[in-house]
Amino acid sequence: MATTKPILFRVIIITNLFALSVSQASDELQINECGGGNFTLNNAYQINRDNAVSSVITNDPNNRHGFYNVSRGETPDQVNVIALCRGDIEQDDCQRCINDIGGKLRGLCPNQKHAIFAYKHCMLRYSNEKILGNRNSSDGWGLPNPENASNVILFNQALDRLWTQLKDDASSGGPLRKYASNMTVGPRSTEIFGLMQCTPDLPEIECYICLSDAVIYIQHHFDGRRGARVIFPSCNIRYEDYKFFNATVSLAQPSFPSSTKSPRLSPSGKHNATTIFVAVITTFSIVILVVVFFCVFLRRKRKLEPLQPKTLAYEDVGLDDITTAESLQYSFDVIRAATNDFSENNKLGKGGFGLVYKGKLRNGQEIAVKRLSKDSGQGELEFKNEVLLLAKLQHRNLVRLLGFSIEGSERLLVYEFVRNASLNQFIFDPVKRATLDWETRYKIIRGVARGLLYLHEDSRLKIIHRDMKAGNVLLDADMNAKIADFGMARLFTLEETQGNTSRIVGTYGYMAPEYVMHGQFSVKSDVFSFGVLVLEVVTGHTNHSFQNEMMTEDILSHAWKSWRHGTSTSLIDPTLIDGSNSVHDIIKCINIGLLCAQDDITERPTMASVVLMLSSLSLSLAVPLEPAFFMRTFRYSDRHFSEEYTSGANDSRPSKSKPKSSQPSIAS
């Protein structure tokens, strides 16, 4: 997929509480942009343009889904027009809005070949170039609310959750409408309303990418605002802390044959209708009263209950803004007591940079405690800043950091306890592997993909994990995947796309070739690791455990050969071959795994594309290219590689010099 051009972004500051967007009067023109060169007045292009604009609705008068398009003329004077109404706008209001734009068009753009006009409820666009099916998120307009949220971090976390849901819902819409609206609850019970919409001619993946671009620019330009609207030619999004949309208009409207007359009510019929109306209103009123009393009861109950200690940072409650690490700090004695003084019986295992223990707090809550190595050399302030950073990562597919503790050289991280331990303890165990049916494995794969997408694109931060493997995927009681261990992760700014390091850290078998050989890492490094992980889940083998004659062959080499020879079903874990209809999805995952693990970094998909591939039933997948084979002879691919890496013409051995870091890390 071609790299998206830099976005030409216009920010329009609206005073008086976003006056243009919330006006109760008729629609007002918010955006008009003319360009594309000029044409001679009264020539063939103008005739075609005016004809196309005036007929864009009448060309399909029974259209009830709010999207219209028409073309008039032949090249080079052909004019293409599309018009789009918001998904909650009735047909009459939609057509009235579009006609109003058409009436003003000649005065606003008298002789320009391209133009886009946007009202609150509709937009119209014309061009002499092809419009249908072409995503355009290289030009954008932003209209922010001038007011800031009172609790920016928790407000943004709630907004991120809303965006994630709306992107999936809107992009998966059909060919008639790609629109979604919903609300979520933010800090202190604040309600946040949002909508997303694409022109329905866009393919599903192009719509998803367009909406993702819009979210990124809201995060970059309007961070913390109580509302904002972003308009691209192919998609638009908006959010506010008040309800600004109606219920979505149904696509299928009831119709009757023209010969059918509306039934007339007899006097008794009128009486019955009145009785029914009164009964409905009465019932509705009672329901409303019950709901109100229930809400009041819950509110009073919540006030009377003791507050949660500030040592816990939960996603679903309106705690005060987490601005200091001290709000997450536990007493060291409390953690020592919870783990029975870090006893061997409580040891869960060893993660990156420390041992992990199970613990139970005095209130009965189970926790997992990572005791960092004492020779980490990390100062107290640096450690607290990184804890604060980790606490802001809130997603259902990430292990949640609850807090930390410090005493002397001791550094403890407190996480939620995930009951079923790590994926590698299931998938690579011959007995436990048989308990993982395909539905469970598919859920795990999709969960990891959503977690990585959040880290790469949807969080307020941009995180490269750098050690994505089966051992760092934990499974909760419902076998939901949760990405863990951010000890090797790196933080990027939104503008950064790639980093370099002289210190190569990670796990053999999962590391991308450009990272191992040149120290270059990016989101595509995690994509590569994810591809290897997917193939492990499908096959039930570690990435180095395929025996080929006298040599242990890595999973990518084996999978590629099977794919190329048309024998991909030989890769499937035998416990999954049960005659069900799951083989198609399994082969699709093998395809995705090979796409992610391609040698050429530009050919690997983004995690946004991967999530879409996994969720779509009809999306055609690309044919993978040959993956990297540099891991072929490694026998111990679950070993970490954290030595200093130096490259030269004749030598690429690990050196013993002191490690250096060129990017901020997240040591956990």
Side-chain angles (χ1 to χ4, degrees):
M1 186 178 296
T3 304
T4 304
K5 296 186 294 183
I7 293 179
L8 178 58
F9 204 78
R10 291 93 164 170
V11 178
I12 303 173
I13 302 297
I14 305 298
T15 57
N16 192 22
L17 289 179
F18 214 178
L20 288 183
S21 291
V22 302
S23 170
Q24 299 302 310
S26 61
D27 264 340
E28 298 166 325
L29 187 63
Q30 296 183 327
I31 299 295
N32 73 282
E33 183 88 356
C34 313
N38 298 335
F39 59 80
T40 305
L41 291 176
N42 300 318
N43 72 352
Y45 189 88
Q46 180 175 343
I47 294 171
N48 290 334
R49 182 197 67 173
D50 294 348
N51 180 273
V53 170
S54 62
S55 63
V56 67
I57 293 175
T58 57
N59 186 59
D60 188 6
N62 296 318
N63 183 328
R64 294 178 179 272
H65 51 77
F67 178 66
Y68 305 85
N69 70 90
V70 67
S71 294
R72 290 289 183 265
E74 301 293 335
T75 306
D77 295 318
Q78 185 180 60
V79 179
N80 305 302
V81 177
I82 65 171
L84 177 70
C85 289
R86 217 167 67 185
D88 61 333
I89 304 304
E90 296 288 348
Q91 183 186 16
D92 290 345
D93 294 332
C94 170
Q95 294 183 354
R96 188 180 303 112
C97 181
I98 293 171
N99 285 331
D100 193 40
I101 292 179
K104 296 177 179 178
L105 183 148
R106 291 188 66 175
L108 294 169
C109 298
N111 65 331
Q112 284 77 35
K113 290 185 177 181
H114 298 178
I116 182 170
F117 308 87
Y119 278 23
K120 181 169 61 174
H121 293 146
C122 71
M123 62 163 284
L124 184 144
R125 177 183 171 203
Y126 75 80
S127 176
N128 62 343
E129 299 174 352
K130 181 183 176 183
I131 295 179
L132 290 178
N134 284 347
R135 169 174 57 90
N136 183 343
S137 54
S138 59
D139 294 314
W141 296 264
L143 297 91
N145 187 316
E147 299 294 326
N148 290 323
S150 59
N151 189 328
V152 173
I153 292 178
L154 294 182
F155 186 91
N156 286 340
Q157 289 174 357
L159 184 59
D160 287 340
R161 297 194 299 272
L162 182 61
W163 287 147
T164 299
Q165 180 228 319
L166 292 180
K167 275 194 292 186
D168 289 338
D169 293 347
S171 62
S172 61
L176 300 182
R177 181 186 294 148
K178 285 183 167 62
Y179 170 87
S181 61
N182 211 331
M183 63 81 66
T184 189
V185 178
R188 301 183 185 277
S189 301
T190 302
E191 292 181 330
I192 306 173
F193 297 84
L195 68 79
M196 289 185 161
Q197 184 171 25
C198 294
T199 55
D201 58 295
L202 280 188
E204 186 174 351
I205 190 169
E206 293 294 301
C207 174
Y208 193 93
I209 293 171
C210 188
L211 295 175
S212 297
D213 287 342
V215 169
I216 288 171
Y217 272 87
I218 277 188
Q219 293 172 344
H220 186 68
H221 292 276
F222 309 141
D223 185 50
R225 296 295 181 93
R226 288 170 52 185
R229 181 182 180 189
V230 171
I231 301 170
F232 289 141
S234 302
C235 68
N236 64 86
I237 70 176
R238 183 182 173 189
Y239 75 95
E240 301 289 349
D241 59 356
Y242 58 86
K243 188 174 182 180
F244 60 91
F245 51 78
N246 305 309
T248 304
V249 177
S250 174
L251 289 174
Q253 298 289 343
S255 60
F256 300 94
S258 57
S259 60
T260 303
K261 295 182 179 180
S262 300
R264 294 180 180 272
L265 287 177
S266 64
S268 60
K270 292 179 180 179
H271 175 72
N272 290 338
T274 302
T275 303
I276 293 172
F277 177 77
V278 171
V280 170
I281 293 298
T282 302
T283 303
F284 182 76
S285 301
I286 292 173
V287 170
I288 292 297
L289 286 173
V290 170
V291 171
V292 169
F293 279 120
F294 183 72
C295 292
V296 171
F297 170 77
L298 287 181
R299 194 179 188 91
R300 286 180 58 83
K301 184 174 182 292
R302 193 175 293 126
K303 287 182 177 179
L304 292 174
E305 289 176 347
L307 294 176
Q308 293 282 353
K310 285 191 176 182
T311 53
L312 300 180
Y314 289 102
E315 180 180 8
D316 299 322
V317 296
L319 296 180
D320 288 339
D321 195 347
I322 305 172
T323 56
T324 62
E326 282 68 21
S327 62
L328 302 169
Q329 188 163 359
Y330 286 82
S331 163
F332 184 81
D333 290 336
V334 168
I335 303 303
R336 181 160 53 191
T339 59
N340 194 20
D341 200 14
F342 306 103
S343 70
E344 285 293 318
N345 292 335
N346 283 36
K347 187 184 293 184
L348 295 174
K350 185 175 183 179
F353 305 115
L355 297 173
V356 182
Y357 298 86
K358 181 181 178 181
K360 180 179 281 190
L361 299 175
R362 282 174 290 186
N363 63 4
Q365 182 184 9
E366 292 182 313
I367 56 174
V369 179
K370 178 176 286 188
R371 194 179 194 182
L372 302 185
S373 302
K374 294 184 179 181
D375 58 356
S376 66
Q378 189 177 41
E380 181 173 331
L381 180 60
E382 183 183 2
F383 174 72
K384 287 183 177 181
N385 287 338
E386 293 187 355
V387 167
L388 198 58
L389 186 69
L390 281 170
K392 295 175 184 178
L393 296 177
Q394 301 285 335
H395 191 272
R396 61 183 176 273
N397 294 117
L398 302 183
V399 174
R400 181 181 296 169
L401 178 71
L402 302 179
F404 73 99
S405 182
I406 290 182
E407 182 168 293
S409 61
E410 291 278 6
R411 302 284 188 272
L412 306 179
L413 292 171
V414 182
Y415 291 94
E416 63 173 320
F417 177 70
V418 183
R419 187 160 300 280
N420 279 322
S422 58
L423 174 62
N424 64 337
Q425 295 184 34
F426 277 83
I427 202 69
F428 304 139
D429 184 287
V431 177
K432 290 184 178 181
R433 184 168 70 242
T435 66
L436 295 182
D437 58 17
W438 176 245
E439 182 180 355
T440 302
R441 298 192 198 196
Y442 201 39
K443 180 171 75 169
I444 291 169
I445 289 171
R446 286 183 292 180
V448 175
R450 286 193 294 264
L452 284 176
L453 174 60
Y454 173 81
L455 291 175
H456 292 176
E457 298 184 23
D458 292 339
S459 72
R460 312 309 298 182
L461 313 165
K462 186 176 182 180
I463 304 293
I464 314 299
H465 190 280
R466 293 207 300 170
D467 197 22
M468 194 64 255
K469 60 181 181 179
N472 284 338
V473 176
L474 304 188
L475 304 173
D476 68 10
D478 298 319
M479 302 303 284
N480 294 304
K482 291 178 176 288
I483 298 173
D485 204 331
F486 292 84
M488 300 178 186
R490 288 293 177 90
L491 170 66
F492 273 24
T493 65
L494 288 174
E495 293 80 8
E496 289 179 297
T497 58
Q498 180 175 296
N500 290 274
T501 183
S502 59
R503 186 184 182 217
I504 309 301
V505 293
T507 304
Y508 279 127
Y510 295 94
M511 293 187 290
E514 70 278 1
Y515 181 45
V516 171
M517 300 176 70
H518 306 296
Q520 297 172 352
F521 60 92
S522 66
V523 293
K524 295 297 185 72
S525 309
D526 283 349
V527 172
F528 182 94
S529 303
F530 174 80
V532 176
L533 176 63
V534 169
L535 294 175
E536 289 182 328
V537 173
V538 169
T539 63
H541 288 274
T542 62
N543 56 58
H544 61 290
S545 62
F546 281 95
Q547 198 69 31
N548 183 9
E549 297 178 353
M550 300 299 294
M551 180 179 64
T552 298
E553 188 176 36
D554 66 88
I555 198 170
L556 291 181
S557 303
H558 189 76
W560 172 250
K561 291 175 183 177
S562 299
W563 179 270
R564 188 176 56 188
H565 295 148
T567 59
S568 296
T569 53
S570 65
L571 294 168
I572 301 175
D573 184 349
T575 64
L576 297 177
I577 305 298
D578 56 2
S580 67
N581 296 323
S582 60
V583 173
H584 175 268
D585 284 337
I586 298 175
I587 297 298
K588 180 174 76 170
C589 283
I590 294 173
N591 191 347
I592 292 172
L594 288 172
L595 286 172
C596 291
Q598 294 177 107
D599 194 12
D600 187 346
I601 187 173
T602 62
E603 295 292 339
R604 295 176 210 154
T606 62
M607 289 312 303
S609 299
V610 170
V611 168
L612 186 57
M613 293 176 198
L614 290 169
S615 61
S616 175
L617 299 177
S618 58
L619 189 66
S620 297
L621 303 186
V623 177
L625 303 176
E626 186 175 282
F629 294 116
F630 64 93
M631 301 171 292
R632 177 171 296 173
T633 59
F634 294 156
R635 283 190 173 273
Y636 303 103
S637 67
D638 56 350
R639 182 183 65 199
H640 276 79
F641 181 22
S642 59
E643 307 280 354
E644 178 87 5
Y645 180 85
T646 59
S647 61
N650 302 310
D651 185 21
S652 60
R653 294 170 298 177
S655 81
K656 299 298 182 179
S657 58
K658 185 178 179 181
K660 299 176 182 179
S661 177
S662 59
Q663 289 281 110
S665 64
I666 305 174
S668 60

